[in-house]
Amino acid sequence: MFRSTLRIECGKALRNRLFWFSVPIGTTITFLSLVPQVKSYYASLRFMNSLAGEYAGKNPHAPMVTLFNRWIGGECYSLGEAVYFFVFPLLVAIPYGWSYCYESRSGYIRSAVLRSGRAPYFYSKYIAVFLSGGLAMVIPLLLNFLLTAMFIPAVRPEPSYVVWYGVNGSSLLSAVYYSRPFLYVFLYLLIDFLYGGLVACMSYALSAVCRNRIVVVLLPFVVLLGFKYICTSLIYTDRVRYKELSPLSFLHPAAATYDTTWLVVIAEAVILFLFTFLLACVKEKNHEIY
Amino acid sequence: MKYIKLLRFDIRNGIAGNWGLFLAPVILAVFAFTELKWRVSALWVYDATYENFTLSYADCLVYTYGGMAKYIPNPTNPFQFPARWGGTFLLLFLFTLSYPVRDMHSFGQQVLIRSQSRLAWWLAKCTWNLLCSVLYHGLITLSLLCVCLATGADLAGEAHAEMLCLVFQTTLTGTAQYTAIPAAAFFLPAVASAAISLLQMTLSLFLRPVFSFLAVSVLMVSSAYYLTPFLPGNYAMFIRHVFFTMEGVTVSAGYYASVSLIAAAVLAGSIRFHRYDIIHRE
């Protein structure tokens, strides 16, 4: 019963119109990073070519411009990057974060629970919301990485060019970045997938306390923005170097200001999971549906 | 008369019951004041006089609506969205987002049918939206005033432009180094925010409310990214005004742009709402 319910829920999550609205919107936003990056790459290439005669046989600074610091996750100064990593809580909640709120209000939940049972319905819903959020987060990033790779060569980053990468010795996974950059991108996409899914599940969990579908989709964004505000305003000072705590900042692979640690990434993921799972699956599962 | 009745209904249902609209500004004002106090006390490394600096009410207002200095894209200068400034405005947009749609699909539908005037209904919603903005920003300024009174800040003093530029990590190149900031400038963030909030309400007639909020969020990030008079978010940032930045936006242009945006939003909304299907949309 669980498998068939899961299949139905995943089908609803990934085949609904809003998922296919959210992913292209995210992809369009990433184009605001891709276009200027490709343009600037070709401009620097033209500049290097103009100096080819004068500097023949000298260092062409090839690792300065590489795929790994020009895709949306590798750079931290384009409009696309700024917008995408700011609005992603909305993009991941739009596809399916609202579904439980809608189904409990419309009464669909009653017939679904009657047919599948409580546990399969709630667990399947959680998994489906998680998958839809994770995919909505990662698909635009992955597309951007692949599209950037079509124009900019994947030169392995050189530690001596660290100022151009934003990944220094204390950054998360920095050793992997300089030795196996593709693995670094894969691992970061995995972290983004995890957080995208958990943020979408926040919408599902908040449906337990809020019955307004619009508010349910927007609340994770407000919570994360509020957390970022607290982090930037009250925790950070100019004199102390803190570790980045806000997911709005550390989900961006190239650290914009502060570096994060595995402890922060894992601890916040566990807290988010416990909060969403306990509220969505434990509390709501035992809640009266009639 | 219909319009007055509809507006009274909206005030009763959309403002009186919207507790976030009353609570959030107070919290934001207290946080902004505390943060400014900390930041100024941390400036003693630049100048010892900042250790026991007396803040003025104008400083608090400029800091709350400060935003960020002009951003120059560069690999060594990462873009950081000003979370406090963005949060201040986006919270208002959140509070004014769902009521018109919720009302249209519930009791307000009956009110709309019985009033027999779509225009009056729409104008009442626009006025409600403007009132929300005025109330929200009014409460922020009032709360800041109360905090200043409680902590003994200088209520009548002018804004300390040099200090504020240090806090915002920028150089003072604007007119504030020679002249005082006019009172009209202090109302501009509220007017610009009212215009964007109305734009969001109009957009939600064309798109789903969540997408209109998304569009407005993108507009706010773009405003922080580009210093241009064409992005209305710039008028809501004090540090982007000509008083602080030489190439900044002017107050008069801000008022013209905001009022034009309000007029355009009301007009576009009334045209759209005239043929809007209130039964089958959700």
Side-chain angles (χ1 to χ4, degrees), chain B residues 10-70:
Chain B
D10 286 332
I11 290 172
R12 207 167 40 237
N13 291 284
I15 293 181
N18 202 343
W19 55 268
L21 204 59
F22 296 93
L23 190 64
V26 179
I27 295 172
L28 282 168
V30 173
F31 267 58
F33 181 82
T34 315
E35 194 192 339
L36 178 61
K37 199 93 179 140
W38 284 1
R39 293 213 172 216
V40 172
S41 63
L43 289 177
W44 67 269
V45 287
Y46 302 106
D47 190 339
T49 55
Y50 285 121
E51 205 162 7
N52 295 309
F53 189 79
T54 308
L55 290 173
S56 69
Y57 178 50
D59 287 334
C60 299
L61 281 176
V62 173
Y63 184 72
T64 308
Y65 294 109
M68 66 180 281
K70 183 189 177 184

Side-chain angles (χ1 to χ4, degrees), chain A residues 66-68 71 145 154-159 167 172-188:
Chain A
T66 157
L67 165 67
F68 304 105
W71 76 291
F145 184 74
V155 180
R156 184 192 283 186
E158 274 285 331
V167 180
L172 188 72
L173 291 166
S174 58
V176 183
Y177 182 78
Y178 289 102
S179 52
R180 292 185 175 84
F182 280 104
L183 181 64
Y184 173 86
V185 171
F186 174 74
L187 288 174
Y188 239 107

